[in-house]
Amino acid sequence: MARAEQHLLSTEIVNRGTDAGSMTFSVRVRRRLPEFVNSVNLKYVKLGYHYLINHGFYLATIPLMVLVFGAQVGSLSTEDLWRRVWDSTVKYDLAPVTGFLALFVFTLSVFFMTRRRAIYLVDFACYKPHDDLKVTKDQFIELARNSGKFDEGSLEFQKRILHSSGIGDETYVPKSIGSPENTVTMKEGRAEASTVMFGALDELFEKTKVRPKDVGVLVVNCSIFNPTPSLSAMIINHYKLRGNILSFNLGGMGCSAGIIALDLARDMLLANPNNYAVVVSTEMVAYNWYPGNDRSMLIPNCYFRMGCSAVLLSNRRRDYRRSKYRLEHVVRTHKGADDRSFRSIRQEEDSQGFRGIKISKDLIEIGADALKANITTLGPLVLPFSEQLLFFSTLFWRILSREGGNSKPRKPYIPDYKLAFEHFCVHAASKTVLDELQRNLGLSDKNLEASRAVLHRFGNTSSSSIWYELAYLEAKGQVKGGDRVWQLAFGSGLKCNSTVWKSLRGIKKPVRNPWMDCIDRYPQPGL
């Protein structure tokens, strides 16, 4: 094995035991998440600054104009200022003065009419299943055993995965997965979809007091289950939404699809003023249930759990006062052009013809490359100038030392993203991923408290997990006015996407929230 790859491996002693009076054990070797922040691709830095320059030119021109105007006005007393204004006004005829004022008003009107509308998050809801769907880790294994679809080796493998996953004993799964019958049916899929989607939407409409007929844009994302009529059509039929609604149904886009759906809803709101948009993010557990014995395809069975989120967005200025957040940035990264990334998470059939999701053993390493690209592009948009200056100075010296033949170039400065955000909502994929992300980005246990709590309490709910994390922060009363929230998700393709929100006011502890009956038990030690 190459020396350069040895630092990516970690060892773990497993299966301790006694055999004929002697101690026996086995050692598991696995890949760690690479130090992706120490390897920077300049093209992603350029993408971030290109976005910043295109959308932030006024940030450089307006302060300069204010500075020049202030220098001129600051040197005059109040009497001198009014005298100059009066003298300059009476020297001109009424027509030029009126024309100048008309031009000024016209320019101001064009500016306000053409500037980008703000997108507000009015409120959101996360579905909490009924307690009769709650299972412990041991009950989950019993359901799998009772289904008769797995051999003992596969059951033991799932048990080992569960007990090291970071998932607790209160997650939710459909009871049908314990049935010996086929659960991958349209009937089961539609039943689960109706339960989670309508449950989240009922709560959303009740919290916001918005009538379903007032919704002008609907975006639904569900990666695997894509029936005909679509999930968006099911919602339109159930709530009798208006006939000219702009509806979209996104499929096959993985756990980061929630941010993709959000980006699409934002574009639709920018093109259609005075409107509401609803984004529904979910995944069907029973329909994704893999009944075979391929180890790489059994992993999703262990992690994915029931969940759904519904988000209400608005571009109406009068909704500013009642909205919780304003959308600041959406940064999307797609690595599908690379073959390894494209094949890292793949739906296919095993040797027996059973369909499931196959997870590549190199997924963590591949995901690190997408994460690196995404945060490198996001950095120029959110980091303070001091952090960007330190980052670029070390990067510049690193390039110079490399060109000068220095065998030990300086490592680039790792930006402190804790200076850019007060809260982090990182997709709760697995305990291993969260551990390595925390180490590489220099985050504290507090920064990833919400992600670990969601993984423990609700499991991996796919694209909706980042909303359960935001619900956790609100239930804890941690979101203050002006706080910035970073939502980070990644999924098949391979894609990594980020969303940045700014809190418009202090968020009071909500009355309806999936955490209200258990929030006092978190954070739990050891998570």
Side-chain angles (χ1 to χ4, degrees), residues 254-495:
C255 298
S256 66
I259 296 180
I260 299 174
L262 183 71
D263 193 26
L264 175 58
R266 178 189 66 169
D267 290 343
M268 291 299 101
L269 287 177
L270 291 176
N272 297 273
N274 198 35
N275 241 316
Y276 285 118
V278 168
V279 177
V280 179
S281 301
T282 188
E283 196 60 73
M284 301 304 114
V285 175
Y287 196 78
N288 294 335
W289 187 252
Y290 170 65
N293 293 287
D294 188 317
R295 299 288 176 89
S296 64
M297 302 173 79
L298 283 170
I299 296 175
N301 282 9
C302 300
Y303 281 99
F304 286 98
R305 296 293 185 267
M306 293 179 69
C308 179
S309 65
V311 180
L312 180 66
L313 304 175
S314 173
N315 59 8
R316 308 192 312 174
R317 292 190 179 94
R318 59 180 175 270
D319 284 325
Y320 169 82
R321 292 188 177 276
R322 74 186 191 111
S323 297
K324 289 184 173 182
Y325 306 92
R326 182 177 66 236
L327 182 60
E328 298 289 303
H329 303 289
V330 177
V331 175
R332 294 169 52 185
T333 304
H334 203 306
K335 306 293 288 186
D338 176 70
D339 290 341
R340 290 179 69 222
S341 297
F342 177 71
R343 296 189 177 95
S344 59
I345 304 175
R346 191 177 180 90
Q347 186 183 24
E348 58 183 44
E349 291 83 16
D350 64 9
S351 58
Q352 295 180 294
F354 294 125
R355 188 176 67 236
I357 304 296
K358 188 165 189 176
I359 306 296
S360 169
K361 61 181 180 180
D362 300 323
L363 177 61
I364 293 182
E365 179 186 358
I366 294 168
D369 187 50
L371 282 166
K372 177 188 68 177
N374 188 265
I375 66 174
T376 306
T377 306
L378 179 67
L381 305 177
V382 298
L383 287 170
F385 179 74
S386 59
E387 285 296 297
Q388 298 189 47
L389 185 62
L390 286 170
F391 172 77
F392 273 101
S393 61
T394 54
L395 182 62
F396 177 74
W397 284 112
R398 183 168 179 260
I399 295 173
L400 286 183
S401 61
R402 184 190 305 165
E403 293 179 351
N406 189 345
S407 59
K408 293 183 179 180
R410 293 179 58 182
K411 290 184 178 181
Y413 175 74
I414 302 174
D416 187 358
Y417 282 88
K418 296 190 293 294
L419 297 176
F421 307 107
E422 283 73 33
H423 306 288
F424 297 77
C425 296
V426 180
H427 170 51
S430 70
K431 184 178 184 297
T432 302
V433 171
L434 294 178
D435 288 344
E436 297 297 337
L437 275 172
Q438 179 177 359
R439 181 178 62 85
N440 273 272
L441 290 178
L443 303 178
S444 66
D445 291 339
K446 186 68 175 178
N447 295 144
L448 288 184
E449 178 185 318
S451 299
R452 296 187 190 281
V454 167
L455 183 63
H456 183 268
R457 177 63 180 84
F458 292 97
N460 184 342
T461 61
S462 189
S463 56
S464 63
S465 68
I466 54 178
W467 296 105
Y468 283 87
E469 292 162 19
L470 188 55
Y472 175 88
L473 295 173
E474 291 189 356
K476 280 287 185 180
Q478 297 178 356
V479 183
K480 311 300 181 185
D483 283 0
R484 296 154 298 179
V485 181
W486 181 18
Q487 291 181 319
L488 174 66
F490 39 91
S492 60
L494 190 103
K495 300 178 287 294

Side-chain angles (χ1 to χ4, degrees), residues 5-6 35 68 73 77 129 183 246 248 255 267 282 299 386 472:
E5 294 185 0
Q6 290 180 1
E35 301 281 354
V68 173
V73 174
S77 64
T183 63
L246 302 174
F248 304 87
C255 298
D267 290 343
T282 188
I299 296 175
S386 59
Y472 175 88

